[in-house]
Amino acid sequence: MPRLLILLTLPPDVRDYYAARLKQRFSELEIDVADHFSKATPLAPNADILLTFGPMMRDEVVANAPKLKWVQALGTGIDGIIDQPSLGKHVTITNIRGIHGAPVSEAAIMGMLALSRDLPRSVRSQDQNSWTRWPPKLLDNKTVGIYGIGLIAEALAPRCKAFGMTVVGYSSTPRDVPGIDRMLLRNELVATAKELDYLVLLVPYSEETRHSIDAKVFAAMKPSAFLINLARGGIVDEDAMMAALNAGKIAGAALDVFQTEPLPPEHPLWGMKNVIITPHLGGFCDVYADLALVTVEHNMECFLRGDIDGMRDMVRK
């Protein structure tokens, strides 16, 4: 019988939901579930299939999985999976595309609103029973730069327009996208960063984009501008970002992703009052499993009958 290993560092009910749905649909599957890579490693030798998110993976899982034939990434990003040294070249990799537009767009809007209205200050004042008032900033008439133009940006741009914002897109391949007022190349960011009130990061992680948001970018931004990172932690030079935040070169940041996840308890970002931290929740939502399982179940059906060419969202065959 084919054996599926589900590695998800998520609440138990979420892990159990994936396992129950797949077992109900594919009774021939044997399913193991782990909530941490250290618990997945001893289960890996029997796994034909692995279902996970890249940030939850470690090389020891695939190093101990000689039977592994297919990895289904539950997100769009495959960093943390395809770059594991022990992953065999014969292993098929698929991801999930087209379901992240709404949740990540709403996370971006939340980050911009929370920063502009200084929501953390409101919460701190509430904790102190303090009736403290200040003039919040508006999104209306502001300019947002979206760094990385794909399906998520295509969903976010019209939402930003609904708030009365001007939208500038930064892409490796400029093209017309509804809701984007001006499209520029990614390497034009430093030259134009002074025009932006918000910079939203959505670009995929690669060696090309690693630390592409660095001290030069922060030096070019307005002191009143905000950074929202919903891409990957490695896109940003975190040391340069913290230096910019401490020096007032930018006003604040809403960060959902980090170079090291989970973010260590001793990390200085936790104590910065102009930073909002969320634990990689950008694409996560109450209906995510139902949306993702449409692709997972289709691909599982194809895999079990040997129809690899019929699988959706193929990254590597």
Side-chain angles (χ1 to χ4, degrees), residues 247-271:
K249 291 182 179 178
I250 62 172
L255 307 173
D256 189 56
V257 289
F258 305 88
Q259 287 179 182
T260 301
E261 295 185 8
L263 188 66
E266 67 278 6
H267 200 289
L269 278 170
W270 286 111

PDB file of all heavy atoms in Angstrom, residues 247-271:
ATOM      1  N   ALA A 247      17.002  53.551  13.427  1.00  0.00           N
ATOM      2  CA  ALA A 247      17.502  54.883  13.069  1.00  0.00           C
ATOM      3  C   ALA A 247      16.406  55.799  12.539  1.00  0.00           C
ATOM      4  O   ALA A 247      16.669  56.965  12.244  1.00  0.00           O
ATOM      5  CB  ALA A 247      18.611  54.747  12.027  1.00  0.00           C
ATOM      6  N   GLY A 248      15.175  55.278  12.391  1.00  0.00           N
ATOM      7  CA  GLY A 248      14.089  56.089  11.867  1.00  0.00           C
ATOM      8  C   GLY A 248      14.163  56.312  10.369  1.00  0.00           C
ATOM      9  O   GLY A 248      13.527  57.225   9.837  1.00  0.00           O
ATOM     10  N   LYS A 249      14.918  55.453   9.661  1.00  0.00           N
ATOM     11  CA  LYS A 249      14.978  55.581   8.201  1.00  0.00           C
ATOM     12  C   LYS A 249      13.686  55.113   7.546  1.00  0.00           C
ATOM     13  O   LYS A 249      13.361  55.520   6.430  1.00  0.00           O
ATOM     14  CB  LYS A 249      16.171  54.804   7.659  1.00  0.00           C
ATOM     15  CG  LYS A 249      17.509  55.414   8.033  1.00  0.00           C
ATOM     16  CD  LYS A 249      18.668  54.640   7.436  1.00  0.00           C
ATOM     17  CE  LYS A 249      19.997  55.288   7.796  1.00  0.00           C
ATOM     18  NZ  LYS A 249      21.153  54.511   7.262  1.00  0.00           N
ATOM     19  N   ILE A 250      12.979  54.195   8.225  1.00  0.00           N
ATOM     20  CA  ILE A 250      11.608  53.850   7.851  1.00  0.00           C
ATOM     21  C   ILE A 250      10.775  53.877   9.120  1.00  0.00           C
ATOM     22  O   ILE A 250      11.309  53.760  10.229  1.00  0.00           O
ATOM     23  CB  ILE A 250      11.495  52.477   7.140  1.00  0.00           C
ATOM     24  CG1 ILE A 250      11.963  51.332   8.043  1.00  0.00           C
ATOM     25  CG2 ILE A 250      12.236  52.479   5.832  1.00  0.00           C
ATOM     26  CD1 ILE A 250      11.689  49.951   7.457  1.00  0.00           C
ATOM     27  N   ALA A 251       9.455  54.025   8.968  1.00  0.00           N
ATOM     28  CA  ALA A 251       8.602  54.252  10.134  1.00  0.00           C
ATOM     29  C   ALA A 251       8.220  52.976  10.859  1.00  0.00           C
ATOM     30  O   ALA A 251       7.961  52.992  12.069  1.00  0.00           O
ATOM     31  CB  ALA A 251       7.345  55.009   9.714  1.00  0.00           C
ATOM     32  N   GLY A 252       8.155  51.867  10.134  1.00  0.00           N
ATOM     33  CA  GLY A 252       7.722  50.635  10.776  1.00  0.00           C
ATOM     34  C   GLY A 252       7.639  49.503   9.782  1.00  0.00           C
ATOM     35  O   GLY A 252       7.844  49.686   8.578  1.00  0.00           O
ATOM     36  N   ALA A 253       7.326  48.311  10.295  1.00  0.00           N
ATOM     37  CA  ALA A 253       7.241  47.122   9.448  1.00  0.00           C
ATOM     38  C   ALA A 253       6.214  46.149  10.010  1.00  0.00           C
ATOM     39  O   ALA A 253       6.078  46.006  11.233  1.00  0.00           O
ATOM     40  CB  ALA A 253       8.610  46.432   9.350  1.00  0.00           C
ATOM     41  N   ALA A 254       5.505  45.498   9.105  1.00  0.00           N
ATOM     42  CA  ALA A 254       4.630  44.375   9.454  1.00  0.00           C
ATOM     43  C   ALA A 254       5.256  43.136   8.823  1.00  0.00           C
ATOM     44  O   ALA A 254       5.351  43.042   7.596  1.00  0.00           O
ATOM     45  CB  ALA A 254       3.211  44.599   8.932  1.00  0.00           C
ATOM     46  N   LEU A 255       5.695  42.217   9.668  1.00  0.00           N
ATOM     47  CA  LEU A 255       6.489  41.085   9.218  1.00  0.00           C
ATOM     48  C   LEU A 255       5.771  39.779   9.514  1.00  0.00           C
ATOM     49  O   LEU A 255       5.430  39.491  10.663  1.00  0.00           O
ATOM     50  CB  LEU A 255       7.857  41.091   9.914  1.00  0.00           C
ATOM     51  CG  LEU A 255       8.641  42.404   9.817  1.00  0.00           C
ATOM     52  CD1 LEU A 255       9.886  42.334  10.684  1.00  0.00           C
ATOM     53  CD2 LEU A 255       8.982  42.710   8.368  1.00  0.00           C
ATOM     54  N   ASP A 256       5.557  39.000   8.470  1.00  0.00           N
ATOM     55  CA  ASP A 256       4.896  37.701   8.611  1.00  0.00           C
ATOM     56  C   ASP A 256       5.872  36.549   8.415  1.00  0.00           C
ATOM     57  O   ASP A 256       5.554  35.412   8.741  1.00  0.00           O
ATOM     58  CB  ASP A 256       3.750  37.602   7.586  1.00  0.00           C
ATOM     59  CG  ASP A 256       2.869  36.385   7.809  1.00  0.00           C
ATOM     60  OD1 ASP A 256       2.344  36.240   8.929  1.00  0.00           O
ATOM     61  OD2 ASP A 256       2.718  35.572   6.877  1.00  0.00           O
ATOM     62  N   VAL A 257       7.051  36.847   7.865  1.00  0.00           N
ATOM     63  CA  VAL A 257       8.031  35.815   7.540  1.00  0.00           C
ATOM     64  C   VAL A 257       9.416  36.278   7.988  1.00  0.00           C
ATOM     65  O   VAL A 257       9.702  37.484   8.021  1.00  0.00           O
ATOM     66  CB  VAL A 257       8.031  35.509   6.028  1.00  0.00           C
ATOM     67  CG1 VAL A 257       6.771  34.774   5.614  1.00  0.00           C
ATOM     68  CG2 VAL A 257       8.161  36.807   5.211  1.00  0.00           C
ATOM     69  N   PHE A 258      10.286  35.303   8.303  1.00  0.00           N
ATOM     70  CA  PHE A 258      11.566  35.615   8.916  1.00  0.00           C
ATOM     71  C   PHE A 258      12.635  34.652   8.417  1.00  0.00           C
ATOM     72  O   PHE A 258      12.335  33.556   7.950  1.00  0.00           O
ATOM     73  CB  PHE A 258      11.441  35.530  10.445  1.00  0.00           C
ATOM     74  CG  PHE A 258      10.334  36.393  10.981  1.00  0.00           C
ATOM     75  CD1 PHE A 258       9.037  35.896  11.082  1.00  0.00           C
ATOM     76  CD2 PHE A 258      10.565  37.711  11.322  1.00  0.00           C
ATOM     77  CE1 PHE A 258       8.002  36.693  11.530  1.00  0.00           C
ATOM     78  CE2 PHE A 258       9.536  38.522  11.771  1.00  0.00           C
ATOM     79  CZ  PHE A 258       8.250  38.020  11.869  1.00  0.00           C
ATOM     80  N   GLN A 259      13.892  35.085   8.532  1.00  0.00           N
ATOM     81  CA  GLN A 259      14.992  34.228   8.099  1.00  0.00           C
ATOM     82  C   GLN A 259      15.012  32.928   8.879  1.00  0.00           C
ATOM     83  O   GLN A 259      15.293  31.867   8.335  1.00  0.00           O
ATOM     84  CB  GLN A 259      16.326  34.968   8.255  1.00  0.00           C
ATOM     85  CG  GLN A 259      16.518  36.057   7.228  1.00  0.00           C
ATOM     86  CD  GLN A 259      17.812  36.813   7.381  1.00  0.00           C
ATOM     87  OE1 GLN A 259      18.073  37.749   6.637  1.00  0.00           O
ATOM     88  NE2 GLN A 259      18.632  36.429   8.323  1.00  0.00           N
ATOM     89  N   THR A 260      14.724  32.997  10.180  1.00  0.00           N
ATOM     90  CA  THR A 260      14.623  31.804  11.023  1.00  0.00           C
ATOM     91  C   THR A 260      13.198  31.694  11.538  1.00  0.00           C
ATOM     92  O   THR A 260      12.685  32.634  12.159  1.00  0.00           O
ATOM     93  CB  THR A 260      15.594  31.887  12.216  1.00  0.00           C
ATOM     94  OG1 THR A 260      16.934  32.012  11.730  1.00  0.00           O
ATOM     95  CG2 THR A 260      15.501  30.639  13.080  1.00  0.00           C
ATOM     96  N   GLU A 261      12.556  30.572  11.258  1.00  0.00           N
ATOM     97  CA  GLU A 261      11.188  30.338  11.732  1.00  0.00           C
ATOM     98  C   GLU A 261      11.121  28.999  12.467  1.00  0.00           C
ATOM     99  O   GLU A 261      11.667  28.008  11.993  1.00  0.00           O
ATOM    100  CB  GLU A 261      10.203  30.345  10.559  1.00  0.00           C
ATOM    101  CG  GLU A 261      10.103  31.703   9.868  1.00  0.00           C
ATOM    102  CD  GLU A 261       9.035  31.743   8.782  1.00  0.00           C
ATOM    103  OE1 GLU A 261       8.259  30.759   8.653  1.00  0.00           O
ATOM    104  OE2 GLU A 261       8.956  32.745   8.065  1.00  0.00           O
ATOM    105  N   PRO A 262      10.453  28.976  13.647  1.00  0.00           N
ATOM    106  CA  PRO A 262       9.846  30.104  14.349  1.00  0.00           C
ATOM    107  C   PRO A 262      10.890  31.145  14.756  1.00  0.00           C
ATOM    108  O   PRO A 262      12.053  30.815  14.967  1.00  0.00           O
ATOM    109  CB  PRO A 262       9.221  29.459  15.593  1.00  0.00           C
ATOM    110  CG  PRO A 262       9.121  27.987  15.285  1.00  0.00           C
ATOM    111  CD  PRO A 262      10.252  27.693  14.359  1.00  0.00           C
ATOM    112  N   LEU A 263      10.453  32.396  14.855  1.00  0.00           N
ATOM    113  CA  LEU A 263      11.343  33.466  15.279  1.00  0.00           C
ATOM    114  C   LEU A 263      11.782  33.197  16.719  1.00  0.00           C
ATOM    115  O   LEU A 263      10.936  33.050  17.608  1.00  0.00           O
ATOM    116  CB  LEU A 263      10.613  34.806  15.197  1.00  0.00           C
ATOM    117  CG  LEU A 263      11.462  36.065  15.426  1.00  0.00           C
ATOM    118  CD1 LEU A 263      12.493  36.240  14.310  1.00  0.00           C
ATOM    119  CD2 LEU A 263      10.574  37.299  15.534  1.00  0.00           C
ATOM    120  N   PRO A 264      13.095  33.096  16.982  1.00  0.00           N
ATOM    121  CA  PRO A 264      13.563  32.761  18.328  1.00  0.00           C
ATOM    122  C   PRO A 264      13.071  33.760  19.382  1.00  0.00           C
ATOM    123  O   PRO A 264      12.991  34.967  19.109  1.00  0.00           O
ATOM    124  CB  PRO A 264      15.094  32.812  18.190  1.00  0.00           C
ATOM    125  CG  PRO A 264      15.351  32.599  16.736  1.00  0.00           C
ATOM    126  CD  PRO A 264      14.197  33.235  16.022  1.00  0.00           C
ATOM    127  N   PRO A 265      12.730  33.290  20.574  1.00  0.00           N
ATOM    128  CA  PRO A 265      12.196  34.173  21.625  1.00  0.00           C
ATOM    129  C   PRO A 265      13.125  35.328  21.981  1.00  0.00           C
ATOM    130  O   PRO A 265      12.660  36.393  22.394  1.00  0.00           O
ATOM    131  CB  PRO A 265      12.004  33.234  22.821  1.00  0.00           C
ATOM    132  CG  PRO A 265      11.935  31.860  22.236  1.00  0.00           C
ATOM    133  CD  PRO A 265      12.780  31.883  21.002  1.00  0.00           C
ATOM    134  N   GLU A 266      14.426  35.123  21.803  1.00  0.00           N
ATOM    135  CA  GLU A 266      15.386  36.166  22.173  1.00  0.00           C
ATOM    136  C   GLU A 266      15.658  37.154  21.042  1.00  0.00           C
ATOM    137  O   GLU A 266      16.448  38.085  21.189  1.00  0.00           O
ATOM    138  CB  GLU A 266      16.713  35.529  22.604  1.00  0.00           C
ATOM    139  CG  GLU A 266      17.490  34.806  21.511  1.00  0.00           C
ATOM    140  CD  GLU A 266      17.006  33.378  21.222  1.00  0.00           C
ATOM    141  OE1 GLU A 266      15.967  32.973  21.803  1.00  0.00           O
ATOM    142  OE2 GLU A 266      17.665  32.683  20.425  1.00  0.00           O
ATOM    143  N   HIS A 267      14.986  36.994  19.893  1.00  0.00           N
ATOM    144  CA  HIS A 267      15.267  37.857  18.751  1.00  0.00           C
ATOM    145  C   HIS A 267      14.862  39.302  19.060  1.00  0.00           C
ATOM    146  O   HIS A 267      13.776  39.548  19.604  1.00  0.00           O
ATOM    147  CB  HIS A 267      14.512  37.365  17.513  1.00  0.00           C
ATOM    148  CG  HIS A 267      15.076  37.864  16.221  1.00  0.00           C
ATOM    149  ND1 HIS A 267      14.957  39.178  15.818  1.00  0.00           N
ATOM    150  CD2 HIS A 267      15.789  37.240  15.239  1.00  0.00           C
ATOM    151  CE1 HIS A 267      15.553  39.334  14.653  1.00  0.00           C
ATOM    152  NE2 HIS A 267      16.071  38.182  14.278  1.00  0.00           N
ATOM    153  N   PRO A 268      15.697  40.277  18.712  1.00  0.00           N
ATOM    154  CA  PRO A 268      15.382  41.679  19.045  1.00  0.00           C
ATOM    155  C   PRO A 268      14.133  42.225  18.358  1.00  0.00           C
ATOM    156  O   PRO A 268      13.558  43.212  18.836  1.00  0.00           O
ATOM    157  CB  PRO A 268      16.631  42.440  18.593  1.00  0.00           C
ATOM    158  CG  PRO A 268      17.372  41.519  17.671  1.00  0.00           C
ATOM    159  CD  PRO A 268      17.044  40.134  18.130  1.00  0.00           C
ATOM    160  N   LEU A 269      13.700  41.610  17.268  1.00  0.00           N
ATOM    161  CA  LEU A 269      12.484  42.100  16.604  1.00  0.00           C
ATOM    162  C   LEU A 269      11.267  42.059  17.530  1.00  0.00           C
ATOM    163  O   LEU A 269      10.364  42.902  17.410  1.00  0.00           O
ATOM    164  CB  LEU A 269      12.196  41.280  15.342  1.00  0.00           C
ATOM    165  CG  LEU A 269      12.972  41.661  14.082  1.00  0.00           C
ATOM    166  CD1 LEU A 269      12.762  40.622  12.985  1.00  0.00           C
ATOM    167  CD2 LEU A 269      12.582  43.052  13.582  1.00  0.00           C
ATOM    168  N   TRP A 270      11.228  41.094  18.441  1.00  0.00           N
ATOM    169  CA  TRP A 270      10.074  40.974  19.333  1.00  0.00           C
ATOM    170  C   TRP A 270       9.856  42.250  20.149  1.00  0.00           C
ATOM    171  O   TRP A 270       8.715  42.603  20.463  1.00  0.00           O
ATOM    172  CB  TRP A 270      10.248  39.797  20.289  1.00  0.00           C
ATOM    173  CG  TRP A 270      10.077  38.443  19.689  1.00  0.00           C
ATOM    174  CD1 TRP A 270      11.052  37.501  19.484  1.00  0.00           C
ATOM    175  CD2 TRP A 270       8.864  37.838  19.232  1.00  0.00           C
ATOM    176  NE1 TRP A 270      10.520  36.361  18.932  1.00  0.00           N
ATOM    177  CE2 TRP A 270       9.185  36.528  18.769  1.00  0.00           C
ATOM    178  CE3 TRP A 270       7.534  38.259  19.172  1.00  0.00           C
ATOM    179  CZ2 TRP A 270       8.224  35.660  18.253  1.00  0.00           C
ATOM    180  CZ3 TRP A 270       6.575  37.387  18.660  1.00  0.00           C
ATOM    181  CH2 TRP A 270       6.924  36.113  18.206  1.00  0.00           C
ATOM    182  N   GLY A 271      10.925  42.922  20.510  1.00  0.00           N
ATOM    183  CA  GLY A 271      10.802  44.073  21.399  1.00  0.00           C
ATOM    184  C   GLY A 271      10.680  45.406  20.700  1.00  0.00           C
ATOM    185  O   GLY A 271      10.621  46.447  21.369  1.00  0.00           O
TER     186      GLY A 271
END
